[in-house]
Amino acid sequence: SHWLYRWSNPKCNGKLPPGAMGFPIIGETIDFLKPCGFNDIPTFVKKRMIRYGLLFRTNIFGSKTVVSADPDVINQIFRQENTSFGLGYPDILVKVFGKDNLFLKEVFIHKYLHKVTMQIIGSEGLKQTMIGNMDKATRDHFRLKASQGSFNVRKEVENLIVAYMTPKLISNLKPETQSKLIDNLNAFNLDWFQSFFSLSSWKALIKVLKSRGEAIQVMKDVLSMRRESREKQEDFLNTLLEELDKESSIFDQGSATNLIFLLAFVAREGTSSCTALAVKFISKDPKVLAELKREHKAIVDNRKDKKAGVSWEEYTHNMTFTNMVNTPSTCIHICVLSMSRFACQTRPLYCFERHCTMLRSKARYTIPAGWIVAVAPSAVHYDPINYENPFEFNPWRWEGKEMTRGSKTFMAFGSGVRLCVGAEFARLQMAIFLL
Ligand code: HEM
């Protein structure tokens, strides 16, 4: 009885946020994994927000967790990034992505990430080389697919991103090695995560782990060969090899290959979901479709060479409406608990005790050290206080606004020091797809 009591009422040097810790060991994981619609706050969060307010405690995947749907609290967390809060994901996710994974484990990885990924997905890299590759791959791929009548947008965007990203990450591979790597990168997914407790999901998980293992092995072999031969190539692996040679480097062979793998995964996953959502929204909105067609026709009419691909000038100067449609409008609808932190120190957080739209008194809650803090961006994006008619797809609401940075009310690409480094990449790929 004492153990059960302690499970439900964890020790805390202060006042814990309200909430329930669920069943012993599994906590509230089953409820957390229940499927929910794409254009809504996850049911798990919504139910608890109504019951406990915008900050509540729970237990997911065996981790004591505080979920925050309050923009002020989220802002306090981001402001204390790397001091009181660090990167922290449940162990199960860290294991699936590999033990060498600095991305989900290393608190200060973001400093290195921005530096090493600049060449490939920074504005200059996109402008100089990536835009041409994206445009050609997108045209070739969809010309082929269009003749087949119908296709799965998300799947095809995933395939085409992996196809043009792989040679940028590791170039000069033998054709059979490259296609093996591409197959393994494509096979890795998080679909099993949706129905964690079914037998088929466990089988899918084993397949996913196998494909990750094989992809990493190919990368490790190439990395060792390059290190021995001191061969230089114009690719991301080369940037990492230079980083590995530095004395102060935080990477080793395992974490470097893991980073290449993870970059291919995040590039593919976020962009493909948002593109599929954009297609879904546009197909149901004739006004948006007409405005897009008008903008795109003007671009093509102004081109000297009508068959030329999208240029950087067109993307930056002539696609204002397209850019309002793609990333901000669709990304705020992606319903995930996407950002997860770890409390490094016991911290007080100030929060208005608010139930739906009714404000109550200001409360001081304590988050004990070692707890996970999960941020629910969808609760902020779907709050009518922050956005008028938040469930409506309305690209015009972004007119004249900065769309890749984070703010207290817009965090589709994160916020603070860990802002998404691939936001421009995703925006460009989606613009090319729509044109
Ligand atoms: C529309 C698509 C995308 C969405 C919605 C998205 C969303 C996000 C969010 C919310 C974060 C913050 C995570 C956190 O604070 O824990 C993030 C970080 C990150 N994203 Fe994206 N992302 C997208 C596309 C991409 C692409 C295409 C790439 C790479 C090519 C990428 C690479 C990264 C990386 C490396 C980070 C970690 C940054 C750091 O730790 O400093 N993302 N993304």
Side-chain angles (χ1 to χ4, degrees):
S1 305
H2 179 75
W3 185 75
L4 280 179
Y5 177 81
R6 271 282 145 250
W7 174 268
S8 312
N9 301 281
K11 274 191 183 152
C12 171
N13 212 355
K15 185 179 168 193
L16 275 174
M21 306 305 279
F23 294 109
I25 318 284
I26 56 168
E28 299 194 304
T29 313
I30 296 180
D31 217 18
F32 174 76
L33 290 171
K34 281 189 185 150
C36 61
F38 74 92
N39 194 10
D40 206 350
I41 302 170
T43 324
F44 177 84
V45 178
K46 200 154 81 175
K47 262 165 57 183
R48 284 157 185 80
M49 274 167 64
I50 293 168
R51 198 152 170 202
Y52 306 116
L54 297 182
L55 193 71
F56 58 85
R57 68 169 192 265
T58 176
N59 186 307
I60 312 167
F61 297 121
S63 302
K64 292 175 191 147
T65 305
V66 167
V67 178
S68 173
D70 183 317
D72 290 315
V73 173
I74 296 173
N75 198 33
Q76 289 173 54
I77 294 166
F78 286 148
R79 281 215 319 261
Q80 296 176 51
E81 185 104 55
N82 293 347
T83 51
S84 305
F85 297 96
L87 202 60
Y89 281 88
D91 277 353
I92 174 99
L93 263 187
V94 177
K95 285 200 176 108
V96 170
F97 281 99
K99 64 176 173 25
D100 290 326
N101 196 320
L102 294 186
F103 192 84
L104 298 180
K105 279 196 321 200
E106 172 63 51
V107 173
F108 298 107
I109 183 81
H110 63 89
K111 286 188 195 158
Y112 294 90
L113 268 178
H114 282 249
K115 203 171 78 184
V116 294
T117 56
M118 221 49 221
Q119 177 204 345
I120 177 166
I121 52 173
S123 292
E124 222 25 56
L126 292 176
K127 181 178 166 184
Q128 299 304 337
T129 54
M130 199 57 107
I131 187 167
N133 295 45
M134 274 183 183
D135 190 79
K136 184 169 180 328
T138 311
R139 280 168 185 245
D140 291 350
H141 215 83
F142 288 106
R143 195 170 292 134
L144 191 75
K145 287 290 152 188
S147 61
Q148 293 173 5
S150 70
F151 59 87
N152 181 327
V153 174
R154 187 176 158 210
K155 202 79 229 133
E156 292 312 325
V157 174
E158 281 183 5
N159 290 346
L160 87 92
I161 291 179
V162 172
Y164 69 71
M165 272 291 268
T166 306
K168 292 271 157 207
L169 296 171
I170 308 181
S171 62
N172 220 14
L173 288 175
K174 284 188 191 146
E176 63 275 14
T177 317
Q178 178 162 311
S179 73
K180 185 179 168 198
L181 184 58
I182 289 179
D183 287 348
N184 283 318
L185 290 174
N186 277 329
F188 187 86
N189 60 57
L190 290 184
D191 295 350
W192 54 272
F193 196 72
Q194 308 293 326
S195 48
F196 194 62
F197 294 100
S198 76
L199 185 64
S200 60
S201 294
W202 285 95
K203 282 188 191 158
L205 176 60
I206 292 167
K207 255 173 90 178
V208 158
L209 291 176
K210 194 166 162 262
S211 59
R212 188 184 65 83
E214 287 180 8
I216 294 281
Q217 195 50 53
V218 171
M219 293 177 187
K220 277 190 176 157
D221 293 345
V222 181
L223 192 140
S224 306
M225 266 164 26
R226 287 255 194 109
R227 269 194 127 173
E228 274 166 30
S229 64
R230 310 301 296 171
E231 178 195 336
K232 296 251 178 262
Q233 293 288 343
E234 293 263 308
D235 56 15
F236 185 58
L237 180 64
N238 202 62
T239 313
L240 286 182
L241 277 168
E242 284 170 9
E243 197 60 36
L244 273 171
D245 286 341
K246 291 182 188 158
E247 249 178 46
S248 56
S249 176
I250 60 161
F251 295 107
D252 58 21
Q253 198 149 323
S255 55
T257 44
N258 216 308
L259 181 62
I260 302 177
F261 177 80
L262 211 117
L263 203 63
F265 173 74
V266 287
R268 178 199 98 178
E269 206 59 20
T271 317
S272 61
S273 317
C274 284
T275 312
L277 263 185
V279 171
K280 192 174 174 74
F281 283 131
I282 296 165
S283 65
K284 292 195 171 146
D285 197 323
K287 218 172 124 205
V288 172
L289 184 62
E291 185 57 27
L292 272 177
K293 280 186 174 169
R294 191 202 53 73
E295 188 171 88
H296 294 171
K297 186 172 178 303
I299 292 174
V300 177
D301 286 350
N302 277 335
R303 278 183 188 161
K304 283 196 188 106
D305 175 3
K306 302 285 179 226
K307 288 191 178 149
V310 180
S311 69
W312 188 255
E313 278 64 36
E314 285 169 353
Y315 166 65
T316 46
H317 295 118
N318 308 116
M319 297 182 92
T320 315
F321 187 71
T322 312
N323 287 328
M324 275 151 56
V325 170
N326 65 31
T327 35
S329 305
T330 48
C331 293
I332 65 160
H333 294 280
I334 289 203
C335 105
V336 277
L337 266 180
S338 63
M339 289 170 270
S340 178
R341 299 291 183 267
F342 173 81
C344 314
Q345 306 166 5
T346 298
R347 294 302 304 168
L349 285 176
Y350 296 91
C351 169
F352 277 107
E353 282 182 323
R354 193 167 75 170
H355 291 267
C356 295
T357 51
M358 276 170 53
L359 281 176
R360 298 194 180 169
S361 60
K362 201 170 185 181
R364 182 185 196 266
Y365 292 117
T366 301
I367 309 216
W371 281 51
I372 295 272
V373 187
V375 167
S378 51
V380 176
H381 295 149
Y382 287 130
D383 190 335
I385 293 180
N386 301 327
Y387 295 99
E388 204 183 322
N389 298 328
F391 293 96
E392 187 190 46
F393 175 63
N394 175 10
W396 286 274
R397 74 166 97 230
W398 305 103
E399 211 156 1
K401 294 210 174 107
E402 167 54 62
M403 292 174 283
T404 44
R405 292 194 179 281
S407 74
K408 221 163 149 184
T409 51
F410 178 70
M411 49 191 90
F413 292 107
S415 194
V417 292
R418 303 207 64 233
L419 195 68
C420 176
V421 292
E424 195 68 63
F425 173 103
R427 215 157 77 113
L428 179 62
Q429 172 60 65
M430 289 176 75
I432 290 175
F433 176 90
L434 292 182
L435 185 69

